[in-house]
Amino acid sequence: MGTGIDIDDFEEHRPVLMGVAYRMLGRVADAEDVVQDAWLRWNRADRAEVREPRAYLVRITTRLAIDRLRQVQARRESYVGPWLPEPLVTDFGPTVPDTAEQAVLADSVSLAVLVVLESLSPLERAVFVLREAFGLSYAEIAGTLDRGEAAVRQLATRARKHVDERRPRFDVDPAQQRDLTERFMAAAAGGDFDGLMAMLAPDARLVGDSGGKSKAPLRVIESADKVGRFLDGAARRGLPAGYEFRLVEFNGALGVLVTGNGKPDSVIQLGLHEGRIQHVYIVRNPDKLASLA
């Protein structure tokens, strides 16, 4: 029987569906696949069964994302080196005028939070995303996941405690982020070891994600001295001709896109705390940079 489902209804909610899927999976391509599958289900749905399109689509997308997450978790266990989410270009702009709401959205999609979410179970991750990032009630989440409300509350409490205990505490002042990012890149490119050391927190960490497909540390580098020496060594080797740096907002915070002859080479983002660089994130896996081309 014909469905008569309106494509405009789906497109209206596509940003929310992508937001749910990306936070669940940490990969743009996986999120797009899930949203496409949601569209196929939506296209086959009977309009009489769809009372609230947004709730219906979020439910489908979340369940598909849980299934996809269970599939990819096995692949991530054999991932070469540290794993970081795929950088997502974000610009909330005028669609999110309230700064408090923007801060919540930015925090829920940050690299640091997404790394911690990797250690949650698929159900815990779904509850956390729907509750913390999109503000769904426990009753709505229970309906989405086909679970009792009491069970959802327990999952939410456990997930929130887990994230609070493990995620790094970063400052989010945009002006400070820009200033330190620009100074960091100038010092790194110019071989200014003392300048780098002055910006790094004593317990600074560098996390590089290459997936074994490009040059990056295969272990997390810890301490300001070791991070500074690694960056100094990389700077001394220099960049080939045709490489450029550009400031871009990734995952709710300013970062650096490095391109070589117009093609994405790496993304660098800093995690700041009390005016110093606490974390240096470097994504060099070409599979995770393809969407930036």
Side-chain angles (χ1 to χ4, degrees), residues 77-98:
E77 290 176 0
S78 59
Y79 195 79
V80 178
W83 182 93
L84 289 172
E86 179 177 342
L88 177 70
V89 176
T90 52
D91 181 6
F92 300 114
T95 60
V96 186
D98 181 74

Side-chain angles (χ1 to χ4, degrees), residues 40-274:
L40 295 175
R41 305 250 182 134
W42 168 255
N43 201 36
R44 295 195 298 266
D46 189 332
R47 180 180 291 275
E49 297 178 356
V50 182
R51 297 179 180 179
E52 299 181 11
R54 185 180 188 275
Y56 179 88
L57 288 167
V58 168
R59 181 167 65 252
I60 292 174
T61 301
T62 302
R63 291 181 178 182
L64 289 170
I66 288 173
D67 291 342
R68 175 64 65 95
L69 184 58
R70 287 170 173 155
Q71 295 169 12
V72 302
Q73 278 181 334
R75 296 202 306 266
R76 291 180 187 174
E77 290 176 0
S78 59
Y79 195 79
V80 178
W83 182 93
L84 289 172
E86 179 177 342
L88 177 70
V89 176
T90 52
D91 181 6
F92 300 114
T95 60
V96 186
D98 181 74
T99 55
E101 184 179 353
Q102 180 172 342
V104 169
L105 287 170
D107 181 63
S108 70
V109 80
S110 71
L111 294 181
V113 168
L114 290 176
V115 168
V116 175
L117 294 188
E118 280 293 295
S119 56
L120 295 176
S121 72
L123 276 177
E124 288 172 338
R125 187 165 182 166
V127 171
F128 182 90
V129 168
L130 296 176
R131 179 69 180 170
E132 302 296 330
F134 296 95
L136 269 64
S137 69
Y138 292 116
E140 290 172 317
I141 298 172
T144 297
L145 300 178
D146 196 21
R147 293 289 192 281
E149 189 172 336
V152 166
R153 287 180 179 273
Q154 289 182 340
L155 287 167
T157 299
R158 192 159 61 237
R160 164 51 62 189
K161 181 180 179 182
H162 181 94
V163 173
D164 285 344
E165 289 176 346
R166 289 165 175 78
R167 70 172 172 184
R169 298 298 177 185
F170 291 149
D171 302 328
V172 293
D173 181 275
Q176 184 183 63
Q177 184 86 24
R178 175 176 289 273
D179 175 62
L180 269 172
T181 299
E182 291 176 341
R183 288 165 51 202
F184 171 84
M185 294 306 299
D192 181 4
F193 180 75
D194 291 338
L196 280 173
M197 293 301 296
M199 286 182 273
L200 293 170
D203 56 347
R205 304 171 82 240
L206 185 147
V207 185
D209 178 342
S210 68
K213 299 182 179 182
S214 58
K215 289 185 177 180
L218 294 180
R219 291 183 177 84
V220 176
I221 299 176
E222 303 193 50
S223 86
D225 181 65
K226 291 180 180 179
V227 171
R229 293 187 184 283
F230 171 82
L231 293 170
D232 186 58
R236 291 182 185 280
R237 290 192 294 271
L239 286 174
Y243 273 66
E244 298 178 346
F245 302 96
R246 184 156 58 96
L247 295 178
V248 180
E249 184 185 287
F250 295 104
N251 297 78
L254 194 68
V256 178
L257 173 63
V258 183
T259 58
N261 299 314
K263 297 181 180 180
D265 174 85
S266 54
V267 163
I268 302 170
Q269 192 176 76
L270 309 178
L272 312 179
H273 183 59
E274 296 182 349

